Every structure is written in structure tokens, then in C-alpha cells.
Amino acid sequence: MKNNAQKAARLSVAPMMDWTDRHCRFLHRLLSKETLLYTEMVTAPALVRGGAVHLLEFSDEEHPVAVQLGGSDPAELAKAAVLSEAHGYDEINLNCGCPSDRVQSGTFGAILMRSPDLVADCVKAMQDVVSVPVTVKCRIGVDDQEPAEVLPRFLETMSKAGVTRVSVHARKAWLQGLSPKENRDIPPLDYPLVHQMKQAFPHLHMSLNGGVQTLEEAELHLSQGLDGVMIGRAAYHTPADVLCEADRRIYGRGSDSDAVAVVHAMLPYIEAHLSQGGKLHQVSRHMLGLFAGRPGARAWRRYLSENATRKEADTETVLTALDFVTRTAA
């Protein structure tokens, strides 16, 4: 059953390269039924020219789930959007925020902040061929741009192109001089600017991304008028802290999930993955932070890290690691 992606976008887990793969998303969905989940960025050239449609595979249980596309060629993005909708995604998101060198050389990601009209063409080309929402994730600016001037112009252009939902990473991206990793931390956050943009564009559904660590912080931004909050690294490294209470606190429905119960619920998924030739560590690497801050967490993490890559590693490996947590809690 597909969910309304806009309602789900009240809280979302950010698209993160090498992190938010299908195994990660399946885990996050067990922790929260309501949160909107995103794929890693999938490039339109990989799908259209490279035929890498396997990158779009996901489990039905992941809904509501959005695919994030990277690209700057309207015709190619339109073809990628058609493939994405055919796979069943609830939303198609265009990446205008990633600062990696790979992305710059392909003229997409954060460098598109310099070309709002091109982004508008890309968005329109996708909207013309799909029925699911087409959204944009952007920065507040790049390099020497002045965010207070650039961001309103960018958002106005998106709005005129028919975009109704935008996620704004509240940092500039320095494409010259900072690495992608540094771009996640060094440029200062400007939350007030994003809140001002919501006031200036009240018709846009606006989510704030960047530096949000806890549900408390998310609730504060929502109470101040934003429509959504997108959490990245904290949702990955401390998933239970961010997601276990999200359904009740952010959406006002459902009950809290339990990390131990979620581990048990992951076991059939892991068994299915192993039966198809997969490896335990491909799934368990996303589970390492499940018990962060709880007694036994270090032993859980260490045991899984050291043993999940073994050839014979299976669900018993996970249960042995879990024993460190449950015994400590008893």
C-alpha cells in the first residue's frame, strides 16, 4: 500500500551515498512506519545509458519511499523518472545539493544552484512524463554566492516550474577548497534563512536538512512553522534514538518500536538475503548503531563488526551479538 509522500515528509531520512541502500531502508522502516525514506542518489546516466536499473530495486515494505536522481540533462532525467515510477517509487527527488567531485564533473548536484533555469527545465521534463511528485533537494548556495539573494531566486524558479516540495540543506556548499566530507560540517548552518524562506513561500512544503541530531530538535523546527525535517547522519548512526518514537511524536499515531524486537524482525530478511547469495555484513553494517548509548552496545557493535564478514556468518551471528545487549539489560 503506497502512502502519501508529502504527509510522510514531516520527517525523512536523508539520501546518503553508500549508506541509505535498500537494506538500510528496510531496517529504518521497521523502526518507523511513517517516516519518508530516500534512496542513495542514483544518476540518470547510470540508469539510461548504463542500464543499471538494478539500482532501483527495493522492497514493497519500504513505502513510503522516494528515489533521488542526479543529472542535468532534462531528456535523460525524464527517461530515468519513467523508470523510477515504473519501479513504484512514491516520489522523485532531484539532487541539487551534493558537493562531491564526481557530481561536479557530471554537472549535477550542488553546482546546479548556479543554474536554476536548467533545474526548472529538468523538473518540467520529469513532471511531463510521471504522475508522482517531483521534488528538489538543494543547498542555500554555493561558493561565493550570497544565500539571502540566491535561495529566494532559486525557490521562486522552482515554484514557477511546478515544484511544491523542497528540502533545503541549511549550509552553503564550497565546491572550491572543501572536500565533500568537510562540506557536511564546516560551512555554518543558517536555520533562520530556511525559516524565512518558508514565510516567503508559504505555499511550498519546505523541509529543513543539516545538523539536526534529535527528535527534540525536529519537533522544535516543526513547531516554528516548517513542514518537515530531514535527518541524515544521526538517523544512520543512532537510528533507534531518532526513529523508535517518531511515529507517535511526529505523526501522532502508532506506537513506539523496540530495537531488540526490530533485530528479531530483521532475521527473516537477512535469511532471504543470504539465500540469494548475499553476505551478512551487507545488511548488518547498517545495524551497528541500533543500541548506541545502551548497555552492551559496544560489545554488540564489536562482535558484529568482527564476525559479520566471515563466510559462515548468518542469523546466529546476529543473535549472539544481541545476547550481549539483552544479558546486560537483564
Side-chain angles (χ1 to χ4, degrees):
M1 177 70 181
K2 288 193 181 182
N3 299 59
N4 184 313
Q6 178 153 313
K7 286 182 181 174
R10 189 164 169 80
L11 183 71
S12 56
V13 178
M16 293 176 283
M17 291 297 289
D18 302 321
W19 289 7
T20 51
D21 64 16
R22 58 184 303 185
H23 308 310
C24 174
R25 298 193 305 268
F26 191 89
L27 170 69
H28 287 178
R29 178 56 68 226
L30 289 175
L31 291 163
S32 165
K33 289 183 171 65
E34 306 291 342
T35 310
L36 180 60
L37 304 178
Y38 281 85
T39 68
E40 308 167 84
M41 183 183 64
V42 181
T43 69
L47 295 176
V48 176
R49 283 181 251 160
V53 289
H54 66 278
L55 296 173
L56 295 174
E57 292 173 2
F58 68 97
S59 306
D60 278 345
E61 293 91 340
E62 291 175 39
H63 289 295
V65 60
V67 61
Q68 186 181 68
L69 296 179
S72 59
D73 180 308
E76 196 164 56
L77 278 165
K79 290 176 183 174
V82 168
L83 289 170
S84 300
E85 183 176 45
H87 273 74
Y89 283 98
D90 301 300
E91 171 197 329
I92 295 166
N93 178 263
L94 180 62
N95 183 321
C96 299
C98 181
S100 85
D101 300 335
R102 261 190 311 180
V103 171
Q104 287 182 59
S105 63
T107 323
F108 49 91
I111 203 164
L112 285 174
M113 295 297 297
R114 296 191 179 278
S115 311
D117 291 335
L118 173 59
V119 177
D121 290 342
C122 291
V123 165
K124 287 182 207 163
M126 290 190 282
Q127 287 172 335
D128 284 346
V129 293
V130 298
S131 59
V132 295
V134 176
T135 66
V136 171
K137 184 170 188 284
C138 67
R139 292 271 181 151
I140 59 173
V142 295
D143 294 335
D144 53 1
Q145 287 183 329
E146 177 49 58
E149 297 171 7
V150 168
L151 188 57
R153 279 206 300 270
F154 185 87
L155 293 176
E156 186 174 355
T157 306
M158 294 308 99
S159 180
K160 286 180 178 172
V163 173
T164 59
R165 188 147 53 83
V166 180
S167 301
V168 183
H169 187 147
R171 284 187 175 94
K172 280 172 90 170
W174 287 95
L175 305 179
Q176 308 296 323
L178 290 183
S179 70
K181 184 175 185 298
E182 290 169 331
N183 262 303
R184 291 195 292 266
D185 294 307
I186 292 177
L189 288 158
D190 191 349
Y191 292 153
L193 179 61
V194 181
H195 283 273
Q196 288 166 25
M197 292 303 98
K198 175 57 192 175
Q199 292 170 355
F201 299 91
H203 59 287
L204 283 182
H205 184 290
M206 201 169 296
S207 291
L208 177 142
N209 173 229
V212 179
Q213 301 289 320
T214 65
L215 274 186
E216 285 79 12
E217 291 174 58
E219 287 169 323
L220 180 62
H221 286 297
L222 292 169
S223 72
Q224 292 172 345
L226 285 174
D227 303 293
V229 175
M230 177 181 276
I231 303 183
R233 282 169 290 168
Y236 187 87
H237 292 304
T238 57
D241 288 352
V242 172
L243 298 175
C244 278
E245 298 178 3
D247 294 358
R248 174 176 55 84
R249 291 171 58 177
I250 303 296
Y251 302 90
R253 55 180 176 265
S255 54
D256 297 351
S257 59
D258 172 74
V260 172
V262 163
V263 172
H264 285 286
M266 283 295 292
L267 298 180
Y269 179 86
I270 291 170
E271 284 175 354
H273 178 65
L274 296 175
S275 72
Q276 292 160 8
K279 307 297 183 190
L280 175 61
H281 70 89
Q282 294 169 324
V283 180
S284 64
R285 71 187 184 99
H286 302 299
M287 301 168 67
L288 296 177
L290 260 180
F291 300 103
R294 286 176 55 170
R298 187 174 297 174
W300 153 267
R301 188 182 184 100
R302 185 189 302 121
Y303 189 85
L304 272 187
S305 298
E306 292 174 355
N307 293 281
T309 53
R310 296 178 189 270
K311 195 166 72 168
E312 68 277 10
D314 59 12
T315 52
E316 284 301 316
T317 309
V318 178
L319 289 171
T320 302
L322 183 61
D323 198 41
F324 289 112
V325 177
T326 51
R327 263 188 315 169
T328 311

